[in-house]
Amino acid sequence: MKKVLFSCVILIMFFSAGASAQNTFNKGDKVINAGIGIGSNYYTGSYYTSKIPPLSASFEVGVKDNLFDEKSSIGVGGYAGFSGARWEYYEWGYKYTNIVFGVRGALHYQLVDKLDTYTGLLLGFNVVSAKEFGTAGSGIDYSASTSGVAWSWYLGARYYINEKFGLLGELGYGISYLTLGVSIKL
């Protein structure tokens, strides 16, 4: 994992070295993100026989420029994430799904050209469901479904290859620890 993060940082620094100056996120900008997660706080432990990696999509709109100086802005938007797994013990188990949806707010600050760096918070709801399969054989009546409020702090960056298309990386405690993906500016 450390090698992947280090490689991403080196790659971003390499591409941004010769970049020309431009603001990467401004008031009125609309950005769609799609990503796949690496590492998760869901589905850890023994007897998980298969997992669906965390998938996420978000939308963000720039609402305020020049918060501190000309390099800062604020964005708000929505978020949806999905992950699933199968837990099996012999011929009995559960099929789990997690669906997280909510609103996000982010403070953007452009440290280098073509690189939109930001940090923010997510507040939403985590819908968890579990479907039992097989026979427990012991007469256990156990429910594994639970849902509740979800929140996450995240730190991210979008490197824009051109004016409309960018590569995304986010670290945080949400549906995954690391999300890699793409961004499209509308």
Side-chain angles (χ1 to χ4, degrees), residues 48-110:
Y48 284 100
T49 57
S50 62
K51 296 180 185 180
I52 298 171
L55 304 172
S56 64
S58 61
F59 177 74
E60 185 176 17
V61 177
V63 294
K64 174 118 175 84
D65 281 340
N66 304 323
L67 188 63
F68 306 120
D69 59 21
E70 68 278 350
K71 295 181 179 184
S72 61
S73 62
I74 292 179
V76 296
Y79 175 88
F82 174 83
S83 186
R86 179 181 172 108
W87 181 90
E88 190 170 355
Y89 185 73
Y90 295 104
E91 295 180 8
W92 171 74
Y94 285 95
K95 293 179 185 176
Y96 293 100
T97 60
N98 282 74
I99 300 171
V100 177
F101 58 92
V103 294
R104 300 190 339 162
L107 169 64
H108 294 257
Y109 196 85
Q110 184 175 342

Side-chain angles (χ1 to χ4, degrees), residues 124-154:
F125 199 75
N126 183 8
V127 179
V128 181
S129 65
K131 183 176 180 183
E132 185 178 13
F133 63 89
T135 57
S138 63
I140 298 172
D141 185 20
Y142 175 71
S143 175
S145 295
T146 183
S147 299
V149 173
W151 71 275
S152 173
W153 166 80
Y154 58 92

Side-chain angles (χ1 to χ4, degrees), residues 2 5 7 9 13 17 22-23 27 35 44 51 58 61 64 89 94 101 112 129 140 142 148 160 163 177 180-181:
K2 289 180 184 179
L5 289 173
S7 298
V9 169
M13 289 172 50
Q22 69 179 28
N23 290 332
K27 181 178 179 179
T44 59
K51 296 180 185 180
S58 61
V61 177
K64 174 118 175 84
Y89 185 73
Y94 285 95
F101 58 92
V112 295
S129 65
I140 298 172
Y142 175 71
Y160 285 97
E163 289 184 19
Y177 298 130
L180 300 175

Side-chain angles (χ1 to χ4, degrees), residues 25 33 58 60 73 104-111 115-120 153-158 167-171 183:
F25 191 78
N33 303 308
S58 61
E60 185 176 17
S73 62
R104 300 190 339 162
L107 169 64
H108 294 257
Y109 196 85
Q110 184 175 342
L111 297 171
L115 185 65
D116 176 18
T117 51
Y118 54 92
T119 186
W153 166 80
Y154 58 92
L155 179 67
R158 293 187 285 235
L167 301 175
L168 164 77
E170 285 186 359
L171 293 170
S183 297

